[in-house]
C-alpha cells in the first residue's frame, strides 16, 4: 500500500542523513519513478524534504524534523520476531545482547502486539545452517568485527591454496552466507571477498579509512553473487534413471544440480538433465549409482563410465582369484 511506503520513506529519511532514489527503490522494491512521485506527495503534504545533487547527494529531511509514526502492524511484528539468527549472533558475541533487546522490545509492545510476537515465535523457528554444514574455526572474527565497526585498516594473513599471503585492506563489512562468514574489503581500489575461516592472523592498524560514498554492502553482495554463479564452470549431462533415484540425484553433492526432470518413458525410467562443475565430478557421482543410472550424453562421459566399470570388474575378479588361490594353498 502507498501509505505504508510513504511512512517507510519518512522513517528511512529520518534514519539516514542522505539516501538516493535508487537505494530507496531497491529497499522498497519499486521503480525510481515511483519514488520521485512519492517524494512529491510528501513534499506537498508539508514534510520538509530536501534534495541534493552530485556525489554524496540524495534525498533527506531537515535535521530538526522528526516523526513518531512508528506503530507496527501485525505482520511487521511477526516478521521482526522471526528474524533472529542465533548461531550468527553467537559468532559475533551478540547472543546475550540480542536476547536482552528482544525482552525489552517485547515488553514495550502493546498487549495485542506482544501476543502476535509470542504467537509467531512459538510457531516458527529459522535455522540458517544446513545439515552438512561443517563447523568452521573463526579465531579472527572478533578482530574483523572491531575493524569494521571502527573503520580502521586491517592487516591479516590469508590461506590461499597451499600458502599464506598477507593483505592490507579497508574492511567494509561482514556477510554471513548460510553459516559461513565472509569479509568484504577494499584493497588497492578494488573490492574483494575473503572467507573468514581462512584468515589465520589479523591486526587492527591505528589508521582509519574513508568508505566509498556509493558503496552499499547488500547491493555489492547480491551483484557479486550473481557474477560468481555466472562464472562457475558448467558440465551438462543427460541421463536416464529410475524415478525413485531422483531424490538421491538432487542431493548427490559433487557440486551438482538437477536442472530438469522429464516424463517417464515406456520402461518406467525418467530422463534427467544435470549440471556439474567439471567432468570428474560427474564421473565420480554417476558411476556410484551403477546400473540404476544410464548416461546418454555426453558420449565421452558415457565411455569413461563404461571403462571404469570394466576396470573395476577386472580388479575384483583378479582379487577374487588371488584369494581363492591363497585358500587352496596347502
Amino acid at each position: 500500500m502507498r501509505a505504508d511506503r510513504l511512512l517507510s520513506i519518512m522513517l528511512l529519511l529520518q534514519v539516514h542523513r542522505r539516501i538516493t532514489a535508487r537505494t530507496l527503490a531497491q529497499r522498497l522494491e519499486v521503480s525510481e519513478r515511483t519514488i520521485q512521485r512519492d517524494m512529491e506527495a510528501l513534499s506537498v503534504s508539508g514534510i520538509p524534504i530536501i534534495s541534493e545533487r552530485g556525489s554524496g547527494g540524495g534525498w533527506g529531511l531537515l535535521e530538526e524534523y522528526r516523526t513518531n509514526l512508528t506503530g507496527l502492524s501485525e505482520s511487521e511484528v511477526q516478521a521482526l520476531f522471526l528474524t533472529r539468527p542465533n548461531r550468527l549472533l553467537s559468532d559475533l558475541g551478540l547472543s546475550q545482547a540480542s536476547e536482552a533487546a528482544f525482552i525489552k522490545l517485547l515488553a514495550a509492545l502493546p498487549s495485542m502486539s506482544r501476543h502476535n510476537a509470542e504467537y509467531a515465535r512459538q510457531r516458527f523457528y529459522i535455522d540458517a545452517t544446513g545439515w552438512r554444514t561443517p563447523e568452521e574455526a573463526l579465531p579472527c572474527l572478533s578482530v574483523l568485527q572491531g575493524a569494521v565497526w571502527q573503520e580502521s585498516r586491517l592487516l591479516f594473513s590469508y590461506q590461499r591454496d597451499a600458502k599464506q599471503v598477507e593483505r592490507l585492506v579497508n574492511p567494509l563489512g561482514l556477510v554471513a552466507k548460510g553459516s559461513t562468514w565472509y569479509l568484504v574489503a577494499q584493497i588497492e581500489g578494488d573490492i574483494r571477498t575473503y572467507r573468514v575461516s581462512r584468515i589465520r592472523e589479523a591486526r587492527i592498524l591505528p589508521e582509519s579509512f574513508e568508505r566509498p560514498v556509493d558503496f552499499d554492502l547488500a547491493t555489492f553482495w547480491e551483484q557479486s553473487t550473481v557474477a560468481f554463479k555466472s562464472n562457475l564452470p558448467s558440465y551438462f549431462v543427460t541421463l536416464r534413471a529410475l524415478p525413485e533415484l531422483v531424490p538421491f540425484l538432487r542431493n548427490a553433492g559433487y557440486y551438482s544440480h538437477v536442472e530438469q526432470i522429464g516424463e517417464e518413458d515406456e520402461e518406467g525410467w525418467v530422463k534427467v538433465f544435470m549440471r556439474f562443475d567439471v567432468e570428474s565430478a560427474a564421473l565420480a557421482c554417476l558411476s556410484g549409482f551403477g546400473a540404476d543410472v544410464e548416461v546418454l550424453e555426453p558420449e565421452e562421459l558415457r565411455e569413461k563410465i563404461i571403462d571404469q566399470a570394466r576396470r573395476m570388474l577386472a580388479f575384483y575378479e583378479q582379487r577374487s582369484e588371488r584369494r581363492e588361490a591363497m585358500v587352496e594353498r596347502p
Side-chain angles (χ1 to χ4, degrees):
M1 294 177 62
R2 192 186 188 196
D4 290 337
R5 190 172 68 246
L6 292 176
L7 176 57
S8 296
I9 290 174
M10 290 175 59
L11 295 173
L12 285 169
L13 291 176
Q14 186 170 303
V15 170
H16 300 280
R17 180 174 174 273
R18 291 286 182 274
I19 189 167
T20 65
R22 175 179 296 181
T23 301
L24 284 170
Q26 291 173 343
R27 292 284 297 270
L28 301 176
E29 299 181 349
V30 295
S31 67
E32 290 187 44
R33 179 169 294 185
T34 298
I35 294 297
Q36 296 289 346
R37 289 198 294 265
D38 288 343
M39 291 302 184
E40 292 176 4
L42 288 172
S43 181
V44 169
S45 66
I47 306 299
I49 293 175
I50 57 176
S51 174
E52 293 186 6
R53 297 183 180 276
S55 178
W59 294 97
L61 286 171
L62 291 180
E63 292 186 6
E64 64 273 12
Y65 183 82
R66 288 290 182 271
T67 176
N68 292 319
L69 299 177
T70 55
L72 297 174
S73 67
E74 178 180 343
S75 59
E76 288 170 343
V77 169
Q78 293 177 358
L80 183 62
F81 282 85
L82 281 176
T83 54
R84 299 180 67 215
N86 295 323
R87 161 72 186 277
L88 303 179
L89 289 169
S90 179
D91 288 343
L92 295 173
L94 296 174
S95 56
Q96 291 185 349
S98 172
E99 184 63 23
F102 171 83
I103 294 171
K104 290 176 182 178
L105 183 57
L106 189 64
L109 290 173
S111 57
M112 182 55 69
S113 296
R114 194 180 308 133
H115 170 75
N116 291 332
E118 190 63 25
Y119 190 90
R121 195 171 73 93
Q122 292 296 337
R123 284 159 178 78
F124 299 96
Y125 180 77
I126 299 174
D127 184 354
T129 60
W131 288 111
R132 299 180 181 178
T133 304
E135 293 288 335
E136 293 188 333
L138 304 170
C140 298
L141 182 59
S142 61
V143 178
L144 307 184
Q145 184 182 356
V148 168
W149 278 120
Q150 300 169 27
E151 295 190 351
S152 298
R153 304 201 76 191
L154 183 71
L155 178 66
F156 63 82
S157 59
Y158 188 75
Q159 188 71 36
R160 185 174 180 180
D161 298 325
K163 61 180 182 180
Q164 286 193 22
V165 296
E166 280 200 346
R167 292 289 183 264
L168 177 61
V169 303
N170 299 335
L172 301 176
L174 288 164
V175 175
K177 176 71 171 177
S179 59
T180 304
W181 284 98
Y182 294 89
L183 171 70
V184 178
Q186 185 182 43
I187 177 170
E188 298 176 355
D190 191 19
I191 298 179
R192 301 179 188 174
T193 304
Y194 302 90
R195 190 163 179 154
V196 172
S197 61
R198 295 180 184 170
I199 297 177
R200 299 294 178 251
E201 296 179 359
R203 181 162 56 93
I204 300 175
L205 301 181
E207 313 170 28
S208 60
F209 67 91
E210 286 191 18
R211 294 174 65 88
V213 176
D214 56 349
F215 176 78
D216 179 77
L217 184 60
T219 301
F220 166 81
W221 185 258
E222 290 173 3
Q223 293 173 347
S224 63
T225 299
V226 171
F228 176 78
K229 288 181 178 179
S230 65
N231 290 326
L232 284 175
S234 297
Y235 184 81
F236 295 96
V237 177
T238 304
L239 55 92
R240 294 171 70 242
L242 295 172
E244 57 266 28
L245 257 67
V246 172
F248 295 96
L249 290 171
R250 291 188 186 276
N251 298 297
Y254 292 98
Y255 301 99
S256 64
H257 183 262
V258 173
E259 299 283 313
Q260 185 179 345
I261 304 293
E263 299 292 333
E264 286 192 26
D265 60 22
E266 54 189 19
E267 296 181 5
W269 289 44
V270 293
K271 184 175 284 189
V272 182
F273 301 90
M274 294 187 69
R275 174 177 52 79
F276 295 85
D277 283 1
V278 291
E279 182 191 68
S280 59
L283 179 61
C285 174
L286 300 177
S287 60
F289 287 96
D292 293 331
V293 165
E294 179 188 3
V295 172
L296 303 177
E297 295 177 349
E299 187 64 30
E300 316 89 70
L301 177 63
R302 180 184 175 91
E303 293 299 326
K304 287 184 178 181
I305 288 181
I306 293 173
D307 179 64
Q308 182 169 286
R310 286 172 176 163
R311 288 189 288 110
M312 183 179 293
L313 178 61
F315 171 79
Y316 276 100
E317 286 178 343
Q318 184 183 44
R319 299 299 296 179
S320 295
E321 290 173 0
R322 286 186 181 181
R323 293 181 65 181
E324 290 174 3
M326 291 179 66
V327 171
E328 294 173 0
R329 187 178 302 170

